[in-house]
Amino acid sequence: QYRRLSAEARARAFSVSNMTSTELVRRVREILADQLNQGVSLREFTASVRAGEVDLGVTPTSSYYLENIFRTNTQSAYGAGRLRQITAPEVMAARPFVEYRTARDNRVRPNHAALDRLVFRQTDPAWQRYAPPLGYQCRCAVVTRRERDVDLTRVVDASTLPIEPDPGFGNPRL
């Protein structure tokens, strides 16, 4: 049916489709920002997005996709806040090391698993490249450590690691 439309009608249809997509993205961003501040659940987020889709007359987005958006953005916000906390000078002085931790289950990606239990010096500027999240739906975390609690033979130089964060990740926003 779309191929039978004139070039002008196709351009108009695409424009309307793009406008709807742009409006939906804007609404999802607003919902997410608002709900991150309120600490809502995935179920509440999904219901809000679905209500917006009904208003726009678009096909409901897959639950899996909405879960990905919610979990990834929640972890990104949490990760940025956590990084801001642990890189504060007073925290770095008291706890000069960070240890990377995964969920240690069968859903952990190989590049994340390779970082599990590695310890970095907070003064190593390259370690922040591995500050979670390192990918979509990443469940990893970093834990601060006091010097007396660290086996110094386990401390690695982050700049020497051949491990890469997933595309689009690895550059935390403070």
Side-chain angles (χ1 to χ4, degrees), residues 33-131:
D34 184 49
Q35 293 188 346
L36 279 173
N37 288 328
Q38 296 175 27
V40 302
S41 68
L42 171 61
R43 179 176 288 168
E44 292 166 308
F45 169 74
T46 300
S48 295
V49 171
R50 292 261 162 79
E53 290 172 330
V54 168
D55 290 348
L56 290 172
V58 298
T59 304
T61 306
S62 136
S63 296
Y64 298 112
Y65 185 69
L66 290 177
E67 180 178 357
N68 187 20
I69 290 170
F70 180 80
R71 292 193 187 285
T72 301
N73 284 281
T74 300
Q75 283 301 99
S76 293
Y78 174 79
R82 178 80 173 130
L83 186 60
R84 192 174 301 116
Q85 287 176 334
I86 66 179
T87 56
E90 58 276 7
V91 174
M92 288 178 65
R95 302 179 77 82
F97 295 92
V98 291
E99 182 177 336
Y100 192 91
R101 297 266 183 95
T102 69
R104 301 185 114 190
D105 61 20
N106 64 354
R107 291 176 41 208
V108 174
R109 286 164 271 202
N111 59 332
H112 299 219
L115 294 167
D116 191 43
R117 306 290 182 180
L118 291 183
V119 177
F120 305 102
R121 289 183 190 280
Q122 284 233 48
T123 55
D124 176 354
W127 89 263
Q128 288 184 19
R129 178 184 168 135
Y130 300 105

Side-chain angles (χ1 to χ4, degrees), residues 2 5 8-18:
Y2 181 76
L5 296 173
E8 181 182 340
R10 276 186 280 188
R12 221 176 15 253
F14 177 77
S15 177
V16 169
S17 170
N18 190 38

Side-chain angles (χ1 to χ4, degrees), residues 10-30:
R10 276 186 280 188
R12 221 176 15 253
F14 177 77
S15 177
V16 169
S17 170
N18 190 38
M19 184 174 63
T20 301
S21 296
T22 302
E23 176 62 15
L24 184 57
V25 167
R26 185 190 66 72
R27 284 190 187 184
V28 168
R29 282 188 179 144
E30 285 177 1

